[in-house]
């Protein structure tokens, strides 16, 4: 469970790569890099201006929402935003990501991932013990931890790795691979 002042963070991100790692104890830092595939510079700039990032907070519950809209209110096809997040150690994470790759470095608490399309890589300490739940269309599940099934189409995994789980990793991925590495 989260101690006093350790936040839970919900990330809602339309498209782009997301990297999350530990930062300072009392701050969440977000660095957003907007990218457009439009060749016309003025059009690209106008499109990128429509990508918004907003933090909302209720107590220690923080929500970060990144949206991309075109002028008609439709989703952006040709733009993405790469997000680099530094979070307080022990932060509980829920990531809702439309498309893109997600990397989470040594999370200290529970991680829930809902990803439409993209690959997820989570790195944990060598001696980590965790509950693992995987569902969705998924692809392969690659893990350096003994006992993790290989995944495949319409994967449904619910296993405990190690004998004293301290966190739960939940992945619901439409299409993409999941990799769980041991920290070097």
């Amino acid at each position: 469970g989260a101690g006093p002042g350790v936040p839970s963070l919900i990330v809602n991100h339309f498209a782009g790569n997301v990297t999350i790692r530990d930062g300072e104890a009392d701050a969440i830092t977000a660095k957003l890099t907007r990218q457009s595939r439009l060749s016309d510079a003025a059009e690209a700039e106008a499109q990128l201006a429509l990508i918004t990032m907003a933090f909302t907070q209720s107590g220690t519950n923080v929500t970060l929402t990144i949206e991309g809209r075109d002028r008609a209110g439709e989703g952006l096809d040709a733009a993405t935003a790469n997000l680099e997040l530094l979070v307080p150690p022990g932060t509980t994470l829920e990531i809702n990501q439309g498309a893109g790759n997600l990397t989470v470095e040594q999370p200290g608490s529970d991680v829930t991932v809902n990803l439409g399309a993209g690959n997820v890589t989570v790195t944990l300490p060598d001696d980590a013990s965790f509950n693992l739940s995987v569902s969705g269309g998924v692809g392969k599940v690659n893990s350096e931890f003994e006992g993790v099934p290989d995944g495949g189409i319409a994967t449904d995994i619910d296993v405990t790795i190690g004998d004293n789980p301290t966190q739960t990793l939940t992945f619901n991925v439409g299409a993409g691979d999941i990799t769980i590495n041991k920290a070097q």
Side-chain angles (χ1 to χ4, degrees):
V6 176
S8 72
L9 174 63
I10 298 174
V11 179
N12 300 310
H13 186 33
F14 74 107
N17 296 330
V18 176
T19 303
I20 303 174
R21 60 175 66 93
D22 282 356
E24 297 170 35
D26 53 0
I28 294 173
T29 305
K31 179 182 169 203
L32 192 67
T33 307
R34 298 168 173 90
Q35 297 180 316
S36 174
R37 291 193 293 275
L38 298 178
S39 51
D40 181 287
E43 282 181 26
E45 203 164 308
Q47 183 189 52
L48 295 183
L50 296 167
I51 297 176
T52 59
M53 178 167 73
F55 274 105
T56 56
Q57 185 161 359
S58 169
T60 56
N61 299 325
V62 179
T63 302
L64 171 61
T65 301
I66 298 158
E67 292 179 311
R69 296 277 177 266
D70 70 17
R71 281 174 285 268
E74 303 289 315
L76 294 177
D77 287 335
T80 57
N82 292 337
L83 175 65
E84 197 177 330
L85 271 178
L86 299 177
V87 302
T91 298
T92 301
L93 298 169
E94 177 187 322
I95 299 106
N96 303 304
Q97 188 174 350
N101 296 324
L102 169 65
T103 303
V104 185
E105 297 283 347
Q106 303 210 47
S109 187
D110 295 349
V111 179
T112 302
V113 175
N114 298 299
L115 173 59
N119 298 321
V120 183
T121 303
V122 177
T123 303
L124 296 170
D126 288 356
D127 58 353
S129 180
F130 52 95
N131 297 313
L132 175 65
S133 171
V134 180
S135 61
V138 195
K140 294 194 298 292
V141 178
N142 311 299
S143 175
E144 296 182 342
F145 289 90
E146 297 281 327
V148 174
D150 289 340
I153 300 300
T155 296
D156 191 356
I157 293 172
D158 199 346
V159 296
T160 299
I161 304 303
D163 43 16
N164 185 18
T166 56
Q167 63 197 128
T168 298
L169 307 180
T170 305
F171 302 100
N172 186 327
V173 177
D177 294 343
I178 296 168
T179 302
I180 304 171
N181 289 328
K182 292 184 177 182
Q184 299 308 314

